[in-house]
Amino acid sequence: MRKLKIFVSYSHADARARPGFNVSRLGRIMEELKYDLGCHSDRSRFEVLRDVEMTHVSDNFRVEIDRAITACDVAILFISEEFSRSEECEAEFARLIDLGKPLFLVEIEPILLSDEEDRIRNHRKAVKDTIFVRFWGPDNNQKSVKYGYPFPDNIATRDKYDEALGQVVAGLKARVLTLPQAGNGQEVRPNDQPDQNRVAIFVACPAADVKPEAQRLATTMEAKKFVVRAFDPELDVRKDDTFSGAFSRALAQCDAYVQLLGASPGKPVAGSELRLVRAQYDLARQAGKPAFIWRAAGFDVDDLEASYGAFLKGITDCQIGNFVEFEDYLMKKLDDLAALRRSDERRAAKSQGRNAALPFVVIDAARPDSELAQKIANALADHVNVDHLDYDLTGQMLADAVVDNNALIFAYGKSVEGQKRTQAHFRLIRRPTGELNVSQLELAVGNGAPPTALPFPRGPNVHVITVTDEVDTVEISNFLAKLGVVVEKREAQ
């Protein structure tokens, strides 16, 4: 995948942290820009070339900077009074112009310098391919104010700040679409063909008010080795394509759908009467994928636009409120999906040369009870696929047996070793953790122990199959019926 390389030119004086803080306003602007471009992730279409991130003490600093300028597809210049006074910033500006690089001139404050002080004024006249954005403007009293000053959290100018940031992001996204395409004429996008060996999660494009949570969630999922497909209409809806078509194709390649809902309905969707949040939700529901929905609680639904408020109220299966709790819940559910994926793969491998239409049953027995286990296996052999667990069994092997099979039978025989094994494994299965998910697993005890033995494990929905010289055929047929296998009455007798 070809990434858009973005060279960032700025004054280090503007990036110096404010007293009492560990970040500057420019630092916040650059971080939020990288955040909106998804630069934290390998799936991003963008690569930011910033001096402090690409050079080391041992490097020839100016040589490395010149290499980055030469290699970049576009440059962003964060113009300030400090930038305009800087000899190094002027040199970078001039070099970019000489190479004919597309430039984004981003003014982060009014420039009130004389001609003698402003080293870049004349260079600006030579710029041809430019997008110009201001992070400042007049207030209601026509006084110049910096948007997001001293930090973007400033509510008074946050809307103007977001608008300016959005202009830069939109310009870069438009630029990335001009990069050379793959040989078949279709642009190669991250996760267009997700890793088939990993669970792929589709993350709906969030409205602005829940972007931080969406970013955190994507980072968490990637850290746990899930493939994250973060939908972005500005990048994913290609020319001569439709929103619904691009969305549905991307979702079809994923295993689950995640959407975070806030107070904003999102931007209008081209070709639809719906806005972004509702349009994505409706398409995901039609697709029938496992869906995990969270809604922020910091607003009153009744205060929202009527149609959007009614839409939110109509969603009955979303979690509301604590994001950390939702994140923990989601990770557990995705772990279950990953376990199921691994189980399906192992079942497919086990099915080679066997009847995959029949249920899979595994028998757990200690070595001294192997004869008992074989009697049970012989009684089942014509109706199911039977396997035996290893005598030397680990907890993970037991977990694999649970997720790979339709039923588990404990052979409870004459040996004390086998009785203890059954008791221990039964407790583990009935108190599942991690991959030990028994919600769809049929459990049975093949009881071949003498009357003087300790009672065998019992519990709700646990079948008992009595084994003496022979296996009780009625109890076997009842057990098989729970697996969907019908045994003729005469055969059971």
Side-chain angles (χ1 to χ4, degrees), residues 391-413:
Y391 295 126
D392 300 319
L393 186 68
T394 66
Q396 185 58 50
M397 291 169 64
L398 182 59
D400 291 343
V402 168
V403 296
D404 289 347
N405 292 275
N406 302 100
L408 173 62
I409 300 177
F410 299 101
Y412 195 76

Side-chain angles (χ1 to χ4, degrees), residues 425-445:
H425 288 180
F426 184 84
R427 285 195 297 271
L428 182 59
I429 289 293
R430 299 295 282 189
R431 188 173 62 251
T433 58
E435 291 197 14
L436 288 175
N437 185 348
V438 299
S439 59
Q440 302 299 320
L441 187 75
E442 292 294 334
L443 296 179
V445 175

